[in-house]
Each structure stands twice: as structure tokens, then as C-alpha cells.
Coordinates of all heavy atoms in Angstrom, one line a residue:
M1 N -8.3 3.7 -7.3 CA -9.6 3.9 -7.8 C -10.0 5.3 -7.5 O -10.3 5.7 -6.4 CB -10.6 2.9 -7.1 CG -12.0 3.2 -7.5 SD -13.2 2.2 -6.7 CE -12.4 0.6 -6.4
P2 N -10.0 6.2 -8.5 CA -10.4 7.6 -8.3 C -11.9 7.8 -8.3 O -12.6 7.3 -9.2 CB -9.6 8.4 -9.4 CG -9.6 7.4 -10.5 CD -9.5 6.0 -9.9
G3 N -12.4 8.7 -7.4 CA -13.7 9.2 -7.5 C -13.6 10.6 -8.1 O -12.8 11.4 -7.6
F4 N -14.5 10.9 -9.0 CA -14.5 12.2 -9.7 C -15.6 13.1 -9.1 O -16.7 12.6 -8.9 CB -14.6 12.0 -11.2 CG -13.3 11.4 -11.8 CD1 -13.3 10.0 -12.0 CD2 -12.2 12.1 -12.0 CE1 -12.2 9.4 -12.5 CE2 -11.1 11.5 -12.5 CZ -11.1 10.1 -12.8
Y5 N -15.3 14.4 -9.0 CA -16.3 15.3 -8.4 C -16.4 16.6 -9.3 O -15.4 17.0 -9.9 CB -15.9 15.7 -7.0 CG -15.8 14.6 -6.0 CD1 -14.7 13.7 -6.0 CD2 -16.9 14.2 -5.3 CE1 -14.6 12.6 -5.2 CE2 -16.8 13.1 -4.4 CZ -15.7 12.3 -4.4 OH -15.6 11.2 -3.6
D6 N -17.6 17.2 -9.3 CA -17.8 18.4 -10.1 C -17.3 19.6 -9.2 O -16.9 19.5 -8.1 CB -19.2 18.6 -10.6 CG -20.2 18.7 -9.5 OD1 -19.9 19.0 -8.4 OD2 -21.4 18.6 -9.9
T7 N -17.5 20.8 -9.7 CA -17.1 22.0 -9.0 C -17.8 22.3 -7.7 O -17.3 23.0 -6.9 CB -17.2 23.3 -9.9 OG1 -18.5 23.4 -10.4 CG2 -16.2 23.2 -11.1
S8 N -19.0 21.8 -7.6 CA -19.8 21.9 -6.3 C -19.5 20.8 -5.3 O -20.0 20.8 -4.2 CB -21.3 22.0 -6.6 OG -21.7 20.7 -7.0
G9 N -18.6 19.9 -5.7 CA -18.3 18.8 -4.8 C -19.2 17.6 -4.9 O -19.0 16.6 -4.2
A10 N -20.1 17.6 -5.9 CA -21.0 16.4 -6.1 C -20.2 15.3 -6.8 O -19.4 15.5 -7.7 CB -22.2 16.8 -7.0
Y11 N -20.4 14.1 -6.3 CA -19.8 12.9 -6.8 C -20.4 12.6 -8.2 O -21.6 12.5 -8.3 CB -20.0 11.8 -5.9 CG -19.5 10.4 -6.3 CD1 -18.1 10.2 -6.3 CD2 -20.3 9.4 -6.7 CE1 -17.6 9.0 -6.7 CE2 -19.8 8.2 -7.0 CZ -18.4 7.9 -7.0 OH -17.9 6.7 -7.4
L12 N -19.5 12.4 -9.2 CA -19.9 12.1 -10.5 C -19.8 10.5 -10.8 O -20.6 10.0 -11.5 CB -19.0 12.8 -11.6 CG -19.0 14.3 -11.5 CD1 -18.0 14.8 -12.5 CD2 -20.4 14.8 -11.9
G13 N -18.8 9.9 -10.2 CA -18.6 8.5 -10.4 C -17.1 8.1 -10.3 O -16.3 9.0 -9.8
E14 N -16.7 7.0 -10.7 CA -15.3 6.5 -10.5 C -14.7 6.0 -11.8 O -15.3 5.8 -12.8 CB -15.3 5.4 -9.5 CG -16.0 4.1 -9.9 CD -16.1 3.1 -8.8 OE1 -16.5 3.5 -7.7 OE2 -15.9 1.9 -9.1
G15 N -13.4 6.0 -11.7 CA -12.6 5.4 -12.8 C -11.7 4.3 -12.2 O -11.7 4.0 -11.0
R16 N -10.9 3.6 -13.1 CA -10.1 2.5 -12.5 C -8.7 2.5 -13.2 O -8.6 2.8 -14.4 CB -10.8 1.2 -12.8 CG -12.0 1.0 -11.9 CD -12.3 -0.5 -11.8 NE -13.4 -0.6 -10.9 CZ -13.4 -1.0 -9.6 NH1 -12.2 -1.1 -9.1 NH2 -14.4 -1.1 -8.9
W17 N -7.8 2.0 -12.5 CA -6.4 1.7 -13.0 C -6.0 0.4 -12.3 O -6.1 0.4 -11.0 CB -5.5 2.8 -12.7 CG -4.1 2.6 -13.3 CD1 -3.7 2.7 -14.6 CD2 -3.0 2.1 -12.5 NE1 -2.4 2.4 -14.7 CE2 -1.9 2.0 -13.4 CE3 -2.8 1.8 -11.2 CZ2 -0.7 1.6 -13.0 CZ3 -1.5 1.4 -10.8 CH2 -0.5 1.3 -11.7
T18 N -5.6 -0.6 -12.9 CA -5.3 -1.9 -12.3 C -3.8 -2.2 -12.6 O -3.3 -2.1 -13.7 CB -6.1 -3.0 -12.8 OG1 -7.5 -2.6 -12.6 CG2 -5.9 -4.3 -12.1
Y19 N -3.1 -2.6 -11.5 CA -1.7 -3.0 -11.6 C -1.5 -4.4 -11.1 O -2.0 -4.7 -10.0 CB -0.8 -2.0 -10.8 CG 0.6 -2.4 -10.7 CD1 1.5 -2.3 -11.8 CD2 1.1 -3.0 -9.5 CE1 2.8 -2.6 -11.7 CE2 2.4 -3.4 -9.5 CZ 3.3 -3.2 -10.5 OH 4.6 -3.6 -10.4
H20 N -0.8 -5.2 -11.9 CA -0.5 -6.6 -11.5 C 1.0 -6.7 -11.5 O 1.6 -6.5 -12.5 CB -1.1 -7.6 -12.4 CG -2.6 -7.6 -12.3 ND1 -3.3 -8.1 -11.3 CD2 -3.6 -7.1 -13.1 CE1 -4.6 -8.0 -11.4 NE2 -4.8 -7.4 -12.6
L21 N 1.6 -7.1 -10.4 CA 3.1 -7.3 -10.4 C 3.5 -8.5 -11.3 O 2.9 -9.5 -11.2 CB 3.5 -7.6 -8.9 CG 5.0 -7.8 -8.7 CD1 5.8 -6.6 -9.1 CD2 5.3 -8.2 -7.3
D22 N 4.4 -8.3 -12.1 CA 5.0 -9.3 -12.9 C 6.1 -10.0 -12.1 O 7.2 -9.6 -12.1 CB 5.6 -8.7 -14.2 CG 6.1 -9.8 -15.2 OD1 6.1 -11.0 -14.8 OD2 6.6 -9.4 -16.2
E23 N 5.7 -11.1 -11.5 CA 6.6 -11.8 -10.6 C 7.8 -12.5 -11.3 O 8.7 -12.9 -10.7 CB 5.8 -12.8 -9.7 CG 4.9 -12.0 -8.7 CD 4.3 -12.9 -7.7 OE1 5.0 -13.9 -7.4 OE2 3.3 -12.5 -7.2
A24 N 7.6 -12.7 -12.6 CA 8.7 -13.3 -13.4 C 10.0 -12.4 -13.4 O 11.1 -12.8 -13.5 CB 8.3 -13.6 -14.8
H25 N 9.7 -11.1 -13.2 CA 10.8 -10.1 -13.2 C 11.0 -9.4 -11.9 O 11.6 -8.4 -11.7 CB 10.6 -9.0 -14.3 CG 10.5 -9.6 -15.7 ND1 9.3 -9.9 -16.3 CD2 11.5 -10.0 -16.5 CE1 9.6 -10.4 -17.5 NE2 10.9 -10.4 -17.7
H26 N 10.4 -10.0 -10.8 CA 10.5 -9.5 -9.5 C 11.6 -10.2 -8.7 O 11.6 -11.4 -8.7 CB 9.1 -9.6 -8.8 CG 9.1 -9.2 -7.4 ND1 9.1 -7.8 -7.1 CD2 9.1 -9.8 -6.2 CE1 9.1 -7.7 -5.8 NE2 9.1 -8.9 -5.2
E27 N 12.5 -9.4 -8.1 CA 13.5 -10.0 -7.3 C 13.3 -9.7 -5.9 O 13.1 -8.6 -5.5 CB 14.9 -9.5 -7.8 CG 15.2 -9.8 -9.3 CD 16.6 -9.3 -9.7 OE1 17.4 -8.9 -8.8 OE2 16.8 -9.1 -10.9
E28 N 13.6 -10.7 -5.0 CA 13.5 -10.5 -3.6 C 14.7 -9.7 -3.1 O 15.9 -10.1 -3.5 CB 13.4 -11.8 -2.8 CG 12.1 -12.5 -3.0 CD 10.9 -11.8 -2.4 OE1 11.1 -11.1 -1.4 OE2 9.8 -11.8 -3.0
Q29 N 14.6 -8.7 -2.3 CA 15.7 -8.0 -1.7 C 15.6 -7.9 -0.2 O 14.5 -8.0 0.3 CB 15.6 -6.5 -2.3 CG 15.7 -6.4 -3.8 CD 15.5 -5.0 -4.2 OE1 15.3 -4.1 -3.4 NE2 15.5 -4.8 -5.5
G30 N 16.7 -7.8 0.4 CA 16.6 -7.6 1.9 C 16.1 -6.2 2.2 O 16.2 -5.3 1.4
G31 N 15.6 -6.0 3.4 CA 15.1 -4.7 3.9 C 13.7 -4.4 3.3 O 13.0 -5.3 3.0
H32 N 13.4 -3.2 3.3 CA 12.1 -2.7 2.9 C 12.0 -2.8 1.3 O 12.9 -2.5 0.6 CB 11.9 -1.2 3.3 CG 12.0 -1.1 4.8 ND1 10.9 -1.5 5.6 CD2 12.8 -0.5 5.6 CE1 11.2 -1.2 6.8 NE2 12.4 -0.6 6.9
P33 N 10.8 -3.3 0.9 CA 10.6 -3.4 -0.5 C 10.5 -2.0 -1.2 O 10.0 -1.1 -0.6 CB 9.3 -4.2 -0.6 CG 8.6 -3.9 0.6 CD 9.7 -3.7 1.7
D34 N 10.9 -1.9 -2.4 CA 10.7 -0.7 -3.2 C 9.8 -1.0 -4.4 O 10.3 -1.4 -5.4 CB 12.1 -0.2 -3.7 CG 11.9 1.1 -4.4 OD1 10.9 1.7 -4.4 OD2 12.9 1.4 -5.1
E35 N 8.5 -1.1 -4.2 CA 7.6 -1.4 -5.2 C 6.7 -0.3 -5.5 O 5.5 -0.2 -5.1 CB 6.8 -2.7 -4.8 CG 7.7 -3.9 -4.7 CD 6.9 -5.1 -4.2 OE1 5.7 -5.1 -4.1 OE2 7.5 -6.1 -3.9
H36 N 7.2 0.7 -6.1 CA 6.3 1.9 -6.4 C 6.0 1.9 -7.9 O 6.7 1.2 -8.7 CB 7.0 3.2 -6.1 CG 8.2 3.5 -6.9 ND1 9.5 2.9 -6.5 CD2 8.4 4.2 -8.0 CE1 10.4 3.3 -7.4 NE2 9.8 4.0 -8.3
A37 N 4.9 2.5 -8.3 CA 4.5 2.5 -9.7 C 3.9 3.9 -10.0 O 2.9 4.3 -9.3 CB 3.4 1.4 -10.0
A38 N 4.4 4.6 -11.0 CA 3.9 5.8 -11.4 C 2.6 5.5 -12.3 O 2.6 4.5 -13.0 CB 4.9 6.6 -12.2
F39 N 1.6 6.2 -12.0 CA 0.3 5.9 -12.8 C -0.4 7.2 -13.1 O -0.3 8.2 -12.4 CB -0.5 4.9 -12.1 CG -1.1 5.4 -10.9 CD1 -2.4 5.9 -10.8 CD2 -0.5 5.3 -9.7 CE1 -3.0 6.4 -9.7 CE2 -1.0 5.8 -8.5 CZ -2.3 6.3 -8.5
R40 N -1.3 7.1 -14.0 CA -2.2 8.2 -14.4 C -3.5 7.6 -14.8 O -3.6 6.6 -15.5 CB -1.6 8.9 -15.6 CG -2.5 10.1 -16.1 CD -2.0 10.8 -17.3 NE -0.7 11.3 -16.9 CZ 0.1 12.1 -17.7 NH1 -0.3 12.3 -18.9 NH2 1.2 12.5 -17.2
V41 N -4.6 8.2 -14.2 CA -5.9 7.8 -14.6 C -6.6 8.9 -15.3 O -6.8 10.0 -14.7 CB -6.7 7.4 -13.3 CG1 -8.1 6.9 -13.7 CG2 -6.0 6.3 -12.5
A42 N -6.9 8.7 -16.5 CA -7.6 9.7 -17.3 C -9.1 9.9 -16.8 O -9.7 8.9 -16.4 CB -7.6 9.3 -18.8
V43 N -9.6 11.1 -17.0 CA -11.0 11.3 -16.7 C -11.8 10.6 -17.7 O -11.6 10.8 -18.9 CB -11.3 12.8 -16.7 CG1 -12.8 13.1 -16.5 CG2 -10.5 13.6 -15.6
P44 N -12.7 9.7 -17.3 CA -13.6 9.0 -18.3 C -14.3 10.0 -19.2 O -14.7 11.1 -18.7 CB -14.5 8.2 -17.4 CG -13.8 8.0 -16.1 CD -13.0 9.3 -15.9
D45 N -14.5 9.6 -20.4 CA -15.2 10.5 -21.3 C -16.6 10.9 -20.8 O -17.0 12.1 -21.0 CB -15.5 9.7 -22.7 CG -14.2 9.5 -23.4 OD1 -13.2 10.2 -23.2 OD2 -14.2 8.6 -24.3
R46 N -17.3 10.1 -20.0 CA -18.6 10.5 -19.6 C -18.5 11.6 -18.5 O -19.5 12.3 -18.2 CB -19.4 9.3 -19.0 CG -18.7 8.7 -17.7 CD -19.4 7.4 -17.3 NE -18.9 6.8 -16.2 CZ -17.8 6.0 -16.1 NH1 -17.2 5.7 -17.2 NH2 -17.4 5.5 -14.9
F47 N -17.3 11.9 -18.0 CA -17.2 13.0 -17.0 C -16.4 14.2 -17.7 O -16.2 15.2 -17.0 CB -16.4 12.6 -15.8 CG -17.0 11.4 -15.1 CD1 -16.2 10.4 -14.6 CD2 -18.4 11.2 -15.0 CE1 -16.8 9.3 -14.0 CE2 -18.9 10.1 -14.4 CZ -18.1 9.2 -13.9
A48 N -16.0 14.1 -18.9 CA -15.3 15.2 -19.6 C -16.0 16.5 -19.5 O -17.2 16.5 -19.8 CB -15.0 14.8 -21.1
G49 N -15.3 17.5 -19.1 CA -15.9 18.9 -19.0 C -16.7 19.1 -17.7 O -17.2 20.2 -17.4
K50 N -16.9 18.0 -16.9 CA -17.6 18.1 -15.6 C -16.7 17.9 -14.4 O -17.0 18.5 -13.4 CB -18.7 17.0 -15.6 CG -19.7 17.1 -16.7 CD -20.7 15.9 -16.6 CE -21.6 15.9 -17.9 NZ -22.4 14.6 -17.9
A51 N -15.7 17.0 -14.5 CA -14.8 16.7 -13.4 C -13.9 17.9 -13.1 O -13.3 18.4 -13.9 CB -14.0 15.5 -13.7
A52 N -13.9 18.3 -11.8 CA -13.1 19.4 -11.3 C -12.0 18.9 -10.4 O -11.0 19.5 -10.2 CB -13.9 20.5 -10.7
S53 N -12.3 17.7 -9.7 CA -11.3 17.1 -8.8 C -11.5 15.6 -8.7 O -12.5 15.1 -9.2 CB -11.5 17.8 -7.4 OG -12.8 17.5 -6.9
A54 N -10.6 15.0 -8.0 CA -10.6 13.6 -7.9 C -10.0 13.2 -6.5 O -9.2 13.9 -6.0 CB -9.8 12.8 -9.0
A55 N -10.5 12.1 -6.0 CA -10.0 11.6 -4.7 C -9.5 10.1 -5.0 O -10.3 9.4 -5.7 CB -11.0 11.5 -3.6
I56 N -8.3 9.8 -4.6 CA -7.8 8.4 -4.9 C -7.8 7.5 -3.7 O -7.4 7.9 -2.6 CB -6.3 8.6 -5.4 CG1 -6.2 9.6 -6.5 CG2 -5.7 7.3 -5.7 CD1 -6.8 9.1 -7.8
G57 N -8.3 6.3 -4.0 CA -8.3 5.3 -3.0 C -7.4 4.1 -3.6 O -7.5 3.8 -4.7
V58 N -6.6 3.5 -2.7 CA -5.6 2.5 -3.2 C -5.9 1.2 -2.4 O -5.3 1.1 -1.3 CB -4.2 3.0 -3.0 CG1 -3.2 1.9 -3.5 CG2 -4.0 4.3 -3.7
P59 N -6.7 0.3 -2.9 CA -6.8 -1.0 -2.2 C -5.6 -1.8 -2.5 O -5.1 -1.8 -3.6 CB -8.1 -1.6 -2.8 CG -8.2 -0.9 -4.2 CD -7.6 0.5 -4.0
V60 N -5.2 -2.5 -1.4 CA -4.0 -3.3 -1.5 C -4.3 -4.7 -1.1 O -4.9 -4.9 0.0 CB -2.8 -2.7 -0.7 CG1 -1.6 -3.7 -0.8 CG2 -2.5 -1.3 -1.1
L61 N -4.0 -5.7 -1.9 CA -4.2 -7.1 -1.5 C -2.8 -7.7 -1.3 O -2.0 -7.7 -2.3 CB -5.0 -7.9 -2.6 CG -5.1 -9.4 -2.4 CD1 -5.9 -9.7 -1.2 CD2 -5.7 -10.0 -3.6
V62 N -2.6 -8.3 -0.2 CA -1.3 -8.9 0.1 C -1.5 -10.4 0.4 O -2.3 -10.7 1.4 CB -0.6 -8.2 1.3 CG1 0.7 -8.9 1.6 CG2 -0.4 -6.7 1.0
N63 N -0.9 -11.3 -0.3 CA -1.0 -12.7 0.0 C 0.4 -13.1 0.5 O 1.4 -12.9 -0.1 CB -1.2 -13.5 -1.3 CG -2.6 -13.2 -1.9 OD1 -3.5 -13.0 -1.1 ND2 -2.8 -13.3 -3.1
E64 N 0.4 -13.6 1.7 CA 1.6 -14.1 2.3 C 1.5 -15.6 2.7 O 0.5 -16.1 3.0 CB 2.0 -13.3 3.5 CG 2.2 -11.8 3.2 CD 2.8 -11.1 4.3 OE1 3.3 -11.6 5.3 OE2 2.6 -9.9 4.3

């Protein structure tokens, strides 16, 4: 979940990108898991021309 900021550092708002693991194609492996995902979050139209930077937060939900 990125937070977007203007050139003075003022918070403009947030955007979202959601990933859901497709467990039908997920294989259990021994050792450490390798579950990385390349992603890109576009600047929302309402911040176009205003956003100068972004901070990313990655919430993780683990069900065991």
C-alpha cells in the first residue's frame, strides 16, 4: 500500500495493489519459501502531476 507525497513532503493519499496466492499452482518445497512478486503501483489519476515520492507498506497475513 503506497502513500503518495508532494514535493514539500505533504501526504496526498494512498493507492493499492493486492496479491492473492493461487494455491492451485503452489508447490510446497523444503527449506525457505521463495514467494516473491514483482509489482508496480501506478500513481492514481487524482495525484497525477502532484506526487513526487511514495512510501510502501506491505501488510502480510499468514494463516497457519
Side-chain angles (χ1 to χ4, degrees):
M1 175 184 329
F4 294 96
Y5 299 84
D6 67 13
T7 56
S8 68
Y11 177 71
L12 298 172
E14 64 189 43
R16 291 201 177 263
W17 180 81
T18 303
Y19 172 76
H20 295 284
L21 179 64
D22 180 0
E23 293 191 26
H25 297 98
H26 178 72
E27 296 179 20
E28 290 294 325
Q29 301 173 359
H32 297 287
D34 181 17
E35 296 178 7
H36 65 276
F39 68 95
R40 178 181 299 185
V41 179
V43 175
D45 290 341
R46 65 187 183 277
F47 306 139
K50 300 175 189 172
S53 63
I56 304 294
V58 182
V60 178
L61 173 63
V62 177
N63 292 329
E64 292 189 24

